[in-house]
Amino acid sequence: MLNSIIEFSLKQRLIVILLSMALFGYGIYSFYKIPIDAFPDISSTQVKIILKAPGMTPEEVENRVVKPLEAELLGLENEKLLKSTSKYAIADITIDFNDGTDIYRARNQVSEKLASLLPTLPKGVEGGMAPITTPLGEAFMFTIEGNISPKEKRELLDFVIRPVLRGAKGVADVNSLGGEARAIVVQPDYTAMRHLGIPLSTLQDTLEKNLKNDGAGRVDANEESYLVKVQSGVKDASEIANITIHSHNGPIRVGDFCEVRDDSRTRLGFVTKDGVGEATEGLVLTLKGANAQETISQIKERLDQLKPMLPAGVTIVPFYDRSNLIEKAVGTVSKALMEAIVLVIILLMVFLGDVRAAIAVSVILPFSIAIAFLLMKYFGLSANLMSLGGLAIAIGMLVDSAVVVVENAFAKLSENDTSLPKLHQVYRATKEVSTAVFSGILIIAVVFLPLLTLEGLEGKLFAPVAMTIVFALFGSLFLSLTLIPVVSSLILKSAPHKETFIGSFFTRLYEPMLHFAMTRTKTLFTGAIVFLIISFTLFAFVGKSFMPTLDEGDIILGIETPPSISLEKSKELNLAVQRTLIEHVPEIKTIVARTGSDELGLDPMGLNQTDTFITLKPQTEWKAKNKDEIKRKIEASLKNFPGISFSFTQPIEMRISEMLTGSRGDLAVKIYGNDIDMLNELSQNIADTLGGIKGSSEVFTTLNEGVNYLSVKPNRTESAKTGVDTAELELFLKTALEGVTIDELSIENARIPVLMRFDGEVSQDMELFKSLELPLSDGFSVPISSVAQIETSEGALKVDRENGQRYSTVRANVEGRDLVGFVEEAKQKIDANVKLPKGYTIVYGGQFENQQRAAAKLMTVIPISIGVIFLILFFTFRSVSSTALILLNIPFAVTGGIISLYFSGEYLSVPASVGFIALFGIAVLNGVVMVSYFNTLLGNGYSIDDAVQEGARRRLRPVLMTAFIAALGLLPLLFASGVGSEIQKPLAIVVLGGLVTSTILTLLILPPAFKMIYKKGK
């Protein structure tokens, strides 16, 4: 079949050229149509439920909201994990489904359960499913600057900016943070209510009945129909004040005993900026699967459209723009790709010594890359750091097949055989190597298939690498048997060729080495075995980790204070931290920090938790040498803030960690059990143990305690004597502090909530709170302290649950040593130092969990792929011995990779494993080229000695070209320093080291080994 394809291509050269040009054009078109992002979509199919339960403590939220939902949500189709966090006034429930589950099918299942459960939850609990976004959907953040009040900024964000941005393609929602969310507050005077005999429940009912308009039906008159609307609803605060309510003294206006004013909602968080004061922040969330680059472009266009609609002097100032990271990450790998192409073309000219031959080989690069883009569009892959990185890795391999074809045609035409036409000589030359090319490319493709079996984060990251490499390889295979022979027949000359200087140099260098290998075979083999043994012993000294940390440019400083901190004190502390950082770290451009819960509840932090976004100046303006030095400066400047925990992360890194384990860190130790106090004790013991291990950094556990509680326990006997209803007492207390939402008013474009809430002084003064008197309908009032016991205590900050069980987490980052070695030591010390009570278990997660899963999968799948390669080689050569000889290249290639990892100080990570996989293919391809040519010469009547000697000399150039091209193709990745280079560097180090040893094996050990096996077979 291969011969038929080659023959057709050379007979129909015009058709082949036209079809190739069409493919190239469609490939370029596909490149402009595929989505562009920094990373592949690494999120799982996830549905998030956010429920707000005003006034409820974490344990009440757990018992009254989360547990009923868990009972129904556990066991959904394709459900993988259900986890929840119960905090003050909020429940955050996350359901992970198996990869491949349709997001809309998953949401539909959850929606059905939620619809039936919400009416059964306590009154006042509201919320639902979060937008269809991912943990990495935070693509664009901005603040509103200008000389207007925080309330006006928030109203501008909620009702002008947010609707406009939500209309942009790819935007899931716009989250509002900071500022003061406007509300109309009805503030009762409970002393006046006592005299009037109006209980709070009566005021609540009256307000609820009078805030809505309604319809009555239709009236016909004079052959026309009139729709009747009852305009009982109010439009502003003054109309609320005029609502009539019945009292002991007869009808009375609400405004006579209540103050109705324009105010704000109860705050659960705030945003601060640059140590100056509070700010109002907008956070744009992208839809799952959206084209991030295109979405951000649309966001910027809409922000430009909004400028005329903003009040005078008000501006929108972005401080986080994902497109910057996208451009840097894609730019890094694109630059490496272009540099690799240029280097490869230069090398081809140097080795072949003929511009025409170099052009004939180089043609394969743009065309095979275009085919890869075409297939990326067809299979829905985005252009990102990983997929484009796959093309950069593949550059050397793409040229291999064309090098073999063109080099052989070049050699045939150089013989200047006038008995055959040039077209027929090219056909014969291509036919000679077609089997080796086909099996070689097929083998390289098979080598990368294990990457497609990876699961979880590593699978989502490296499957695009494997797919783009395979796409480009199959494109190069197709072109090597069609377009490349055609181009060779058109531009190569039938003339004797003078060997290049570099070719002569390597030939002179190689011949004595080959002579030594053929005559001192035992010495050579002994040395090779010793080398193998020594090299593999180094493997034990190479550290293991999951993934190098990607430098995103920006820094997030996590701040955790004691759980009992107040909102005002937390704000004061954060502003002090920011002023200190700006004063001592000149590399900082701006700081925006968000504390507490956001509006949508997607990140339900407490008032003691702050994510501080630190944007750095351009690197040319830094005084520090690198980002690590900036972190050290930050740490040094924060030493004057005792009792506060600080941690470093990055925007995407933070969300990936949270998505994987629900917490942030390289290692997350989860302790499962029921008693919160016992979980706290075990967590502290484990944190102390981890802190004493070499390499531990930022060891942290949030002890589930320290929140001050003021418990109000009704005395039912006293309540019965005074006629106080428990529900009335709860309503009174909630109105006194949090406030009770009555309804919402439509005022112009805004939806403004109406709250019933006492004076803010009550929430600031405990003695005033204890002295409150509950008004009754008979004109009397009862001190709450007489019908309830009021006492202070400490309690839980939050309750974390996973699959129906409580758990606590200890997290740690690892610096200066490999992750796997750290975790193994941690396991041993925790087993020795921490005794688990019955019913308690420990699970190790975080990045370590991913590393273990990836390693286990690769250890299973790689041997299978080597077995498939063995079968391909066997059917190619029909010889077990030849097949085994070629596979001998693999361990020698691995030794070079191990040595390079050891001396470079890099760890064996998933990218390094991908490098080893790439090495397998390159090493086997070189072996196939050499052995197939030996067989060809034997078939032409050469003796075994002459076949091996002549074959080794003739294959020297293509073997060296393959090695040098692959090496030069990876050099730009090795020396790249932009965003994303951290992931590609370990791969390049492994391949470059392995190329050296595998090339030496191919040139020096393979020829005598083939001769020995051949003679034994005879």
Side-chain angles (χ1 to χ4, degrees):
M1 184 181 74
L2 298 180
N3 295 341
S4 300
I5 293 171
I6 299 165
E7 184 180 351
F8 173 82
S9 301
L10 289 169
K11 283 182 177 178
Q12 306 293 336
R13 290 184 288 182
L14 181 60
I15 292 175
V16 169
I17 290 171
L18 291 175
L19 287 175
S20 299
M21 293 302 296
L23 276 175
F24 181 76
Y26 191 67
I28 299 302
Y29 166 81
S30 300
F31 174 73
Y32 285 104
K33 289 296 179 182
I34 56 180
I36 299 175
D37 206 340
F39 285 102
D41 183 6
I42 58 177
S43 62
S44 58
T45 302
Q46 193 175 84
V47 179
K48 205 174 186 67
I49 301 170
I50 308 294
L51 295 174
K52 296 185 178 180
M56 282 194 193
T57 63
E59 289 185 87
E60 284 178 322
V61 171
E62 178 197 27
N63 290 319
R64 301 180 66 190
V65 178
V66 171
K67 283 185 177 180
L69 286 169
E70 278 183 348
E72 293 296 322
L73 292 172
L74 281 169
L76 296 178
E77 180 187 355
N78 289 325
E79 184 179 335
K80 182 169 64 176
L81 178 70
L82 189 151
K83 57 189 176 186
S84 66
T85 298
S86 303
K87 287 192 172 183
Y88 171 70
I90 194 166
D92 181 346
I93 301 169
T94 303
I95 307 150
D96 278 338
F97 291 84
N98 292 326
D99 290 338
T101 304
D102 180 71
I103 182 64
Y104 296 99
R105 168 67 179 156
R107 288 177 69 88
N108 187 52
Q109 290 185 76
V110 175
S111 178
E112 288 176 0
K113 297 288 185 183
L114 206 54
S116 62
L117 283 167
L118 276 178
T120 68
L121 297 178
K123 188 177 180 182
V125 174
E126 58 182 16
M129 290 190 293
I132 308 178
T133 186
T134 71
L136 307 184
E138 298 179 354
F140 195 84
M141 304 179 199
F142 59 87
T143 56
I144 299 172
E145 307 291 338
N147 192 25
I148 57 176
S149 69
K151 192 185 299 180
E152 290 173 314
K153 287 180 181 178
R154 182 59 182 268
E155 195 167 347
L156 179 67
L157 173 59
D158 285 340
F159 304 114
V160 177
I161 299 172
R162 186 168 178 251
V164 172
L165 293 183
R166 286 189 69 178
K169 182 182 178 183
V171 171
D173 210 334
V174 179
N175 207 350
S176 303
L177 303 101
E180 296 177 5
R182 183 183 172 192
I184 294 175
V185 174
V186 178
Q187 181 185 314
D189 181 337
Y190 51 88
T191 303
M193 291 178 70
R194 179 191 66 190
H195 293 307
L196 294 168
I198 302 175
L200 269 178
S201 55
T202 302
L203 175 61
Q204 182 185 27
D205 291 341
T206 302
L207 291 172
E208 285 177 348
K209 291 173 182 176
N210 284 273
L211 292 183
K212 294 179 180 177
N213 292 324
D214 208 345
R218 189 192 304 255
V219 173
D220 292 335
N222 300 324
E223 300 181 355
E224 291 185 328
S225 180
Y226 294 80
L227 300 179
V228 180
K229 62 177 181 178
V230 183
Q231 291 185 293
S232 59
V234 298
K235 296 180 180 177
D236 53 35
S238 62
E239 291 190 15
I240 294 176
N242 288 324
I243 293 173
T244 303
I245 188 171
H246 291 283
S247 71
H248 284 171
N249 300 334
I252 189 172
R253 294 167 57 252
V254 167
D256 292 335
F257 64 94
C258 297
E259 181 186 350
V260 184
R261 66 178 186 276
D262 206 313
D263 207 324
S264 61
R265 295 184 184 186
T266 303
R267 303 177 72 189
L268 297 176
F270 57 86
V271 175
T272 49
K273 183 174 182 180
D274 292 337
V276 176
E278 286 198 52
T280 302
E281 176 188 342
L283 192 162
V284 185
L285 303 166
T286 56
L287 278 167
K288 180 179 174 67
N291 184 336
Q293 187 82 330
E294 183 183 334
T295 300
I296 293 171
S297 296
Q298 287 212 13
I299 290 167
K300 291 177 179 177
E301 287 176 14
R302 299 213 170 208
L303 289 178
D304 288 337
Q305 294 169 15
L306 277 166
K307 285 180 181 178
M309 302 165 62
L310 300 177
V314 174
T315 56
I316 296 171
V317 181
F319 67 91
Y320 178 75
D321 182 349
R322 176 76 63 79
S323 64
N324 293 334
L325 178 66
I326 294 170
E327 288 166 7
K328 288 177 183 176
V330 173
T332 298
V333 74
S334 299
K335 180 172 176 282
L337 186 62
M338 295 308 298
E339 287 173 352
I341 290 173
V342 171
L343 287 172
V344 165
I345 292 172
I346 292 170
L347 188 70
L348 287 170
M349 291 182 180
V350 170
F351 261 101
L352 293 173
D354 187 279
V355 175
R356 293 171 179 268
I359 292 172
V361 175
S362 303
V363 162
I364 202 166
L365 286 173
F367 280 86
S368 55
I369 290 173
I371 291 173
F373 286 138
L374 185 155
L375 292 172
M376 284 170 68
K377 180 178 181 293
Y378 179 79
F379 285 97
L381 293 184
S382 65
N384 54 63
L385 176 66
M386 304 309 292
S387 58
L388 294 179
L391 289 178
I393 294 163
I395 288 296
M397 292 180 272
L398 297 182
V399 177
D400 284 347
S401 54
V403 164
V404 173
V405 171
V406 173
E407 199 277 338
N408 207 40
F410 190 61
K412 290 285 183 188
L413 293 172
S414 298
E415 293 172 3
N416 201 19
D417 185 358
T418 55
S419 62
L420 288 173
K422 184 167 96 171
L423 200 62
H424 198 77
Q425 290 183 62
V426 171
Y427 169 72
R428 278 194 172 183
T430 309
K431 181 182 170 184
E432 274 183 12
V433 295
S434 61
T435 303
V437 166
F438 180 80
S439 58
I441 295 296
L442 186 60
I443 285 166
I444 294 176
V446 168
V447 158
F448 282 98
L449 291 181
L451 293 181
L452 299 178
T453 67
L454 292 175
E455 301 166 351
L457 173 64
E458 63 275 16
K460 294 183 178 73
L461 278 174
F462 286 96
V465 175
M467 291 177 75
T468 49
I469 289 175
V470 171
F471 292 160
L473 283 173
F474 279 122
S476 72
L477 174 61
F478 169 74
L479 294 166
S480 296
L481 302 177
T482 53
L483 180 63
I484 297 305
V486 169
V487 172
S488 299
S489 70
L490 292 172
I491 67 173
L492 294 183
K493 287 186 175 180
S494 298
H497 175 70
K498 186 179 179 181
E499 191 170 9
T500 62
F501 167 78
I502 195 164
S504 301
F505 171 76
F506 278 115
T507 300
R508 290 195 303 272
L509 190 67
Y510 179 54
E511 284 183 345
M513 295 169 69
L514 179 63
H515 176 74
F516 175 85
M518 299 302 295
T519 56
R520 304 287 296 275
T521 304
K522 287 184 179 179
T523 305
L524 182 68
F525 286 179
T526 303
I529 293 169
V530 171
F531 175 75
L532 273 176
I533 294 169
I534 293 172
S535 300
F536 277 105
T537 56
L538 293 177
F539 184 76
F541 301 98
V542 174
K544 300 166 188 68
S545 67
F546 175 60
M547 191 85 68
T549 301
L550 173 73
D551 181 9
E552 300 174 34
D554 297 321
I555 296 172
I556 291 184
L557 176 68
I559 302 175
E560 293 210 19
T561 59
S564 58
I565 195 169
S566 67
L567 186 145
E568 287 301 321
K569 182 61 180 176
S570 181
K571 180 169 67 176
E572 179 187 323
L573 177 67
N574 275 286
L575 289 171
V577 167
Q578 291 166 28
R579 286 192 290 269
T580 300
L581 291 177
I582 289 173
E583 181 183 349
H584 292 93
V585 187
E587 291 81 4
I588 292 176
K589 178 182 178 184
T590 186
I591 301 174
V592 178
R594 59 190 192 213
T595 304
S597 179
D598 57 328
E599 190 67 19
L600 293 178
L602 294 177
D603 195 8
M605 299 188 296
L607 292 174
N608 67 315
Q609 296 172 302
T610 300
D611 284 339
T612 305
F613 284 73
I614 300 175
T615 304
L616 301 176
K617 294 176 182 176
Q619 200 162 353
T620 53
E621 299 178 29
W622 290 5
K623 293 181 180 178
K625 294 178 182 177
N626 50 46
K627 193 173 171 184
D628 288 334
E629 187 176 334
I630 294 175
K631 286 183 180 179
R632 288 193 292 272
K633 282 186 179 182
I634 292 172
E635 285 178 329
S637 65
L638 296 176
K639 286 182 179 177
N640 294 326
F641 293 90
I644 301 172
S645 298
F646 298 99
S647 61
F648 290 104
T649 184
Q650 302 176 104
I652 294 178
E653 181 187 353
M654 175 178 71
R655 295 307 179 199
I656 290 174
S657 295
E658 290 179 342
M659 177 181 70
L660 295 172
T661 63
S663 63
R664 309 165 187 179
D666 293 331
L667 172 64
V669 183
K670 291 184 179 179
I671 310 103
Y672 293 86
N674 291 319
D675 184 70
I676 289 177
D677 291 334
M678 180 54 70
L679 288 172
N680 283 337
E681 182 183 335
L682 293 171
S683 297
Q684 188 60 60
N685 291 342
I686 290 172
D688 292 341
T689 302
L690 291 176
I693 299 174
K694 181 186 174 184
S696 63
S697 169
E698 299 169 11
V699 178
F700 187 77
T701 182
T702 303
L703 294 182
N704 214 352
E705 61 186 16
V707 176
N708 294 328
Y709 284 87
L710 190 64
S711 301
V712 180
K713 300 179 181 177
N715 186 324
R716 299 192 185 279
T717 304
E718 292 300 321
S719 296
K721 289 178 184 178
T722 55
V724 173
D725 181 63
T726 303
E728 186 74 20
L729 176 62
E730 287 182 358
L731 175 64
F732 179 77
L733 295 176
K734 190 174 286 188
T735 304
L737 301 172
E738 184 81 18
V740 176
T741 302
I742 304 298
D743 207 334
E744 288 185 335
L745 295 185
S746 293
I747 301 176
E748 296 178 348
N749 293 328
R751 296 281 295 169
I752 308 298
V754 178
L755 305 180
M756 194 167 66
R757 187 175 67 201
F758 285 176
D759 191 299
E761 290 183 8
V762 176
S763 62
Q764 304 293 324
D765 189 335
M766 186 184 294
E767 295 306 316
L768 178 59
F769 172 78
K770 289 181 178 179
S771 66
L772 289 174
E773 295 186 4
L774 173 66
L776 303 176
S777 57
D778 57 6
F780 294 94
S781 63
V782 178
I784 61 171
S785 58
S786 67
V787 293
Q789 182 181 353
I790 304 174
E791 57 186 27
T792 59
S793 62
E794 277 197 6
L797 171 67
K798 61 175 181 173
V799 181
D800 290 324
R801 295 172 65 86
E802 193 169 276
N803 289 337
Q805 195 174 11
R806 284 178 173 179
Y807 74 96
S808 178
T809 306
V810 182
R811 69 174 189 256
N813 288 326
V814 180
E815 289 184 359
R817 67 177 293 185
D818 68 295
L819 178 60
V820 175
F822 176 86
V823 175
E824 292 302 325
E825 185 178 346
K827 283 182 176 181
Q828 292 173 7
K829 292 194 173 180
I830 289 172
D831 288 343
N833 299 338
V834 181
K835 304 301 178 187
L836 294 179
K838 187 177 180 181
Y840 288 75
T841 55
I842 288 178
V843 174
Y844 296 87
Q847 299 281 35
F848 166 75
E849 184 182 9
N850 304 317
Q851 191 278 334
Q852 293 288 284
R853 183 177 57 237
K857 178 64 73 173
L858 290 174
M859 289 298 289
T860 303
V861 179
I862 287 177
I864 295 172
S865 66
I866 291 175
V868 173
I869 292 169
F870 181 89
L871 292 175
I872 295 171
L873 291 172
F874 177 76
F875 285 114
T876 302
F877 295 106
R878 304 288 179 180
S879 167
V880 173
S881 56
S882 294
T883 299
L885 182 62
I886 292 170
L887 289 179
L888 188 63
N889 266 352
I890 291 177
F892 274 91
V894 170
T895 59
I898 293 172
I899 292 169
S900 60
L901 281 179
Y902 177 79
F903 284 105
S904 67
E906 289 284 344
Y907 296 141
L908 178 63
S909 56
V910 176
S913 300
V914 174
F916 280 113
I917 288 170
L919 264 182
F920 294 170
I922 297 169
V924 169
L925 180 62
N926 276 341
V928 167
V929 169
M930 186 72 83
V931 171
S932 63
Y933 199 70
F934 289 160
N935 289 331
T936 300
L937 293 178
L938 288 170
N940 291 340
Y942 281 71
S943 68
I944 182 61
D945 290 327
D946 292 342
V948 169
Q949 293 273 2
E950 185 65 20
R953 276 194 292 269
R954 288 191 186 178
R955 292 297 96 184
L956 173 65
R957 184 166 62 183
V959 167
L960 287 178
M961 283 175 69
T962 299
F964 275 102
I965 287 168
L968 282 180
L970 290 169
L971 276 182
L973 293 180
L974 181 65
F975 293 108
S977 57
V979 173
S981 59
E982 304 89 351
I983 292 179
Q984 310 292 355
K985 194 167 290 184
L987 187 152
I989 287 171
V990 168
V991 175
L992 288 168
L995 278 172
V996 174
T997 51
S998 67
T999 303
I1000 291 171
L1001 168 87
T1002 302
L1003 294 175
L1004 297 181
I1005 298 177
L1006 205 72
F1010 181 85
K1011 175 182 174 182
M1012 184 176 68
I1013 289 171
Y1014 181 84
K1015 287 187 173 179
K1016 284 187 178 180
K1018 286 292 183 180

